[in-house]
Amino acid sequence: MKKIIELLETELSAAFEKAGYDKKYARVTVSNRPDLCQYQCNGALAAAKEYHKAPIQMAGEVVELLAESGTFQEIAAQMPGFINMTVSHTFLADYINEMAASESFGCDISAKEETIVIDYGGANVAKPLHVGHLRPAVIGESIKRISRYLGYHVIGDAHLGDWGLPIGLIITELKKRQPDLPYFDESFEGEYPEEPPFGIADLEEIYPFASSYSKEHEDYKAEAQAATAELQAGRKGYLALWQHIVNVSVADLKKIYDKLNVDFDLWKKESDAQPYIPAMVQEMKDGGYAHIDEGALVVDVKEETDTKEIPPCMILKSNGATLYNTTDLATIVERRKLFDPKKIIYVVDKRQALYFEQVFRCARKTKIIGEDVDLIFVGFGTMNGKDGKPFKTRDGGVLRLEALLADVTEQVAQKMADREMGQAEREDAADKIALAAIKYGDLSNQAAKDYIFDVERFTSFEGNTGPYILYTIVRIKSLMNKLAAQGIHVAEDAPVLPADSKSQTDVMLSLSKWGETLEAAFAEQAPHKVCQFLYELSDAFNKFYHENKIVTNENERARESYIQLSRLAGRVLEAGIDLLGLSAPEKM
Ligand code: ARG
């Protein structure tokens, strides 16, 4: 289905040509003066240079040709040469009815050939998710859902951190505590136990302990480094322990991501990319891209146009060890081989921007990836506390994501204590509202910007918040239930009639932006655009709801039309929150 802007452009193009002007000047945008008109075209101003005529005269000629068109309620030339347009009620209602008849509300969701890999979440094994993991999970999940909705073949990959020093630290500490475990016995020939020698709670205690202990004890740290190297070199007992760590961690991570309504198609790990490293390094050497610098193997990635210093990309340390970026480069090789993606999108803290710039440049320079593949870094800003500093617990510690979720859910439950609801229903509602508060509070900001985590504001049922959007959906649901209870049935395909009030027009205009919103959100990896759309639509709907009699309207045709419009708004809002990874309760 064409967008309203496109339909208007088609009409204007014809008129521009008929008047003797190039149709390239017929570009239409949403009006930046909604008090004057809905859409505008500024083309006559630009055309003045080419045709040496007064813009207002050209605008007048074009308007003249469209005066009889049924598309417009009003079309006028405005000084110095704008064309202001307001579409007719019939045109808008027809458009809305066409949207309502389409499963995707007129948005192009046809299957696309392109595969997109999204690398998000940023989790590491043996470390619990903390508030710093909220943004990559929530933003990545939404980008994935938007892309998938639009018909792209999308693979969401957790790309777990599982191959570095943390594993060596856990091995070292475990050996100190339980030296008799078979994993440490190099002469052990049997099968290692299937049951892990630790649970997630143990791991979560062992890792931070070992990590801080190593900072004060050099030999302990050296031992952990050696254990890491031995693991990476394939020592059997250590590999078995590592496998336990991965299994225990992944099971736990899945539980939490599940609560966040975040799910990965793939649980690939840094370790999975390791087999690709030797050949990759060889090719970098053979191609003459890599050279030795103070013993290390590096690829220069600076470019003449750089305004700041971009350091070389180090591939191997002087002792032959690989680095974070060696793994990321090998992961590109792996993804290309397994999925042949057209795009790889990384949703990672923006403090890693320079790092990814190096990796991307290195990948291109060394021909690991062709120019036809887009490598996209979506860097997100920091989630700050009300003091403007990175979000911390009251005593200054790192807050676990699970604790944050429980905390916000508790606050929402308290707010709802006076609602008449069953226990299970209340809990379900509190879960969904809390999630909406947290996720929408995050997603409604441009990803790259820092934002302040303000629980009071985020959980408010009013204003630009997740709960407000859910509230609007619940309102529509209960409207529908009320109708059903009164035996009022409106056919699925009953038409929405031309608007008879501004509030209806506003709902329709908001609805009509669905397709262009999703396309822009996809193209710019910008879920906040979906939030903006949902907020605008909710606001328009609530105004309409307050200003019009719906269930009790005496005019049956008007009642049916209002019900249809409400139903469509509800359907679109629900589709929209699903793209944010949210769902609405039945009551709230
Ligand atoms: N696990 C990493 C960290 O804790 C983030 C991974 C981001 N993705 C990537 N392909 N490097 O910083």
Side-chain angles (χ1 to χ4, degrees):
M1 201 173 149
K2 287 227 166 71
K3 300 178 186 71
I4 289 190
I5 293 214
E6 290 169 338
L7 295 171
L8 298 182
E9 275 177 356
T10 310
E11 285 217 29
L12 256 72
S13 296
F16 266 84
E17 283 195 320
K18 208 161 165 196
Y21 308 124
D22 196 314
K23 65 173 190 223
K24 73 176 181 218
Y25 295 113
R27 221 175 78 81
V28 175
T29 56
V30 171
S31 160
N32 52 23
R33 285 290 304 273
D35 52 324
L36 293 181
C37 60
Q38 297 162 345
Y39 298 93
Q40 67 187 62
C41 169
N42 305 343
L45 297 167
K49 281 198 202 77
E50 182 174 339
Y51 299 103
H52 306 290
K53 270 197 192 173
I56 188 70
Q57 187 192 338
M58 290 188 281
E61 289 165 20
V62 171
V63 163
E64 184 72 37
L65 287 166
L66 292 169
E68 298 302 310
S69 161
T71 303
F72 303 104
Q73 155 106 347
E74 206 183 317
I75 176 161
Q78 279 291 329
M79 277 304 265
F82 300 115
I83 300 173
N84 289 355
M85 291 161 275
T86 294
V87 297
S88 75
H89 297 312
T90 323
F91 170 87
L92 191 55
D94 286 349
Y95 191 85
I96 291 302
N97 285 313
E98 205 180 328
M99 264 185 87
S102 145
E103 178 207 351
S104 59
F105 318 110
C107 188
D108 172 18
I109 57 166
S110 60
K112 318 285 190 290
E113 285 295 309
E114 273 179 56
T115 295
I116 302 173
V117 172
I118 309 184
D119 179 320
Y120 69 106
N124 300 301
V125 300
K127 295 190 213 171
L129 294 180
H130 57 79
V131 292
H133 292 107
L134 181 67
R135 304 212 70 194
V138 166
I139 297 166
E141 179 72 16
S142 182
I143 295 176
K144 183 188 79 181
R145 286 171 183 241
I146 293 166
S147 314
R148 187 165 287 161
Y149 184 85
L150 293 178
Y152 293 90
H153 177 232
V154 189
I155 302 170
D157 182 6
H159 190 71
L160 273 189
D162 73 329
W163 207 234
L165 185 61
I167 310 291
L169 284 163
I170 293 172
I171 293 175
T172 303
E173 182 58 26
L174 205 64
K175 188 172 177 183
K176 199 170 86 189
R177 296 186 190 186
Q178 302 183 54
D180 297 333
L181 288 174
Y183 308 95
F184 305 115
D185 176 2
E186 281 195 88
S187 60
F188 184 77
E189 294 280 340
E191 292 279 321
Y192 293 111
E194 257 179 51
E195 276 300 302
F198 40 66
I200 188 69
D202 304 313
L203 281 184
E204 288 176 0
E205 177 267 322
I206 294 174
Y207 171 69
F209 175 85
S211 171
S212 61
Y213 193 82
S214 73
K215 286 183 184 122
E216 276 139 38
H217 299 83
E218 272 305 320
D219 45 340
Y220 185 90
K221 186 172 172 189
E223 206 183 320
Q225 279 164 339
T228 311
E230 278 183 276
L231 165 77
Q232 293 179 351
R235 180 166 162 176
K236 252 179 69 207
Y238 288 5
L239 279 172
L241 272 178
W242 158 82
Q243 192 62 58
H244 283 312
I245 297 173
V246 169
N247 294 347
V248 168
S249 295
V250 169
D252 185 63
L253 287 170
K254 280 190 176 162
K255 262 192 357 225
I256 302 164
Y257 279 129
D258 206 40
K259 283 192 191 165
L260 282 172
N261 211 2
V262 166
D263 85 296
F264 298 95
D265 307 294
L266 267 190
W267 283 82
K268 282 270 187 190
K269 309 175 291 305
E270 290 178 350
S271 59
D272 291 311
Q274 303 311 310
Y276 295 88
I277 292 179
M280 178 183 83
V281 169
Q282 195 55 50
E283 277 174 36
M284 286 179 176
K285 286 183 187 161
D286 293 349
Y289 304 116
H291 63 93
I292 305 286
D293 186 10
E294 297 182 18
L297 188 72
V298 302
V299 174
D300 284 328
V301 294
K302 62 172 187 281
E303 287 167 11
E304 264 174 34
T305 50
D306 288 344
T307 49
K308 62 174 193 276
E309 173 83 19
I310 308 277
C313 198
M314 195 190 287
I315 309 295
L316 296 176
K317 287 196 209 168
S318 51
N319 65 1
T322 61
L323 299 97
Y324 183 45
N325 50 287
T326 324
T327 297
D328 261 319
L329 287 161
T331 304
I332 295 178
V333 176
E334 182 191 19
R335 287 177 175 154
R336 229 186 91 182
K337 173 148 181 269
L338 302 182
F339 313 117
D340 189 22
K342 178 77 190 42
K343 270 185 196 169
I344 306 177
I345 299 175
Y346 298 81
V347 184
V348 184
D349 193 314
K350 72 178 176 195
R351 285 170 295 188
Q352 292 192 30
L354 173 63
Y355 164 78
F356 275 98
E357 179 67 36
Q358 289 174 291
V359 168
F360 292 176
R361 285 188 183 187
C362 182
R364 296 231 184 269
K365 180 171 178 182
T366 61
K367 310 248 185 323
I368 280 178
I369 204 136
E371 293 299 331
D372 55 325
V373 183
D374 284 336
L375 297 171
I376 300 168
F377 176 68
V378 179
F380 55 82
T382 308
M383 167 173 147
N384 288 324
K386 274 186 165 170
D387 57 0
K389 300 205 187 92
F391 196 90
K392 288 268 155 63
T393 57
R394 255 169 237 122
D395 57 16
V398 189
L399 185 60
R400 293 175 60 150
L401 207 40
E402 242 183 325
L404 177 81
L405 202 55
D407 200 34
V408 177
T409 307
E410 175 56 32
Q411 294 196 37
V412 171
Q414 271 173 22
K415 268 191 166 187
M416 298 179 61
D418 61 344
R419 304 285 204 285
E420 272 179 42
M421 287 184 181
Q423 176 72 6
E425 198 180 16
R426 186 193 311 278
E427 279 173 17
D428 175 66
D431 283 348
K432 287 176 171 152
I433 297 166
L435 205 56
I438 296 173
K439 293 176 91 170
Y440 189 94
D442 188 311
L443 291 169
S444 54
N445 300 285
Q446 260 182 50
K449 295 209 168 127
D450 298 348
Y451 74 95
I452 290 184
F453 190 87
D454 180 345
V455 197
E456 284 76 47
R457 189 167 81 72
F458 288 2
T459 56
S460 166
F461 287 17
E462 278 153 49
N464 187 8
T465 70
Y468 174 67
I469 313 287
L470 298 194
Y471 187 77
T472 311
I473 294 173
V474 169
R475 165 170 277 168
I476 297 172
K477 284 191 189 189
S478 63
L479 179 69
M480 296 304 152
N481 291 338
K482 209 188 245 165
L483 291 165
Q486 296 187 13
I488 302 175
H489 293 292
V490 177
E492 287 281 325
D493 60 351
V496 171
L497 301 177
D500 50 37
S501 66
K502 174 155 187 326
S503 66
Q504 281 175 65
T505 303
D506 287 345
V507 174
M508 295 189 202
L509 281 177
S510 293
L511 281 167
S512 74
K513 290 180 191 148
W514 173 250
E516 65 215 55
T517 300
L518 297 198
E519 279 170 24
F522 167 75
E524 298 161 41
Q525 294 90 38
H528 74 274
K529 300 210 159 174
V530 176
C531 295
Q532 252 164 29
F533 168 89
L534 294 172
Y535 179 52
E536 189 188 306
L537 176 56
S538 297
D539 235 14
F541 178 81
N542 287 316
K543 226 193 206 115
F544 160 71
Y545 179 87
H546 284 301
E547 290 179 5
N548 293 276
K549 277 209 264 180
I550 303 180
V551 186
T552 55
N553 202 308
E554 299 80 19
N555 179 335
E556 196 175 329
R557 289 205 357 122
R559 184 176 71 192
E560 286 202 357
S561 170
Y562 294 179
I563 292 170
Q564 283 302 71
L565 187 60
S566 307
R567 192 184 269 168
L568 179 61
R571 285 169 60 206
V572 171
L573 286 172
E574 287 215 72
I577 60 167
D578 187 58
L579 299 179
L580 307 180
L582 300 176
S583 55
E586 288 308 307
K587 282 196 208 158
M588 67 188 270

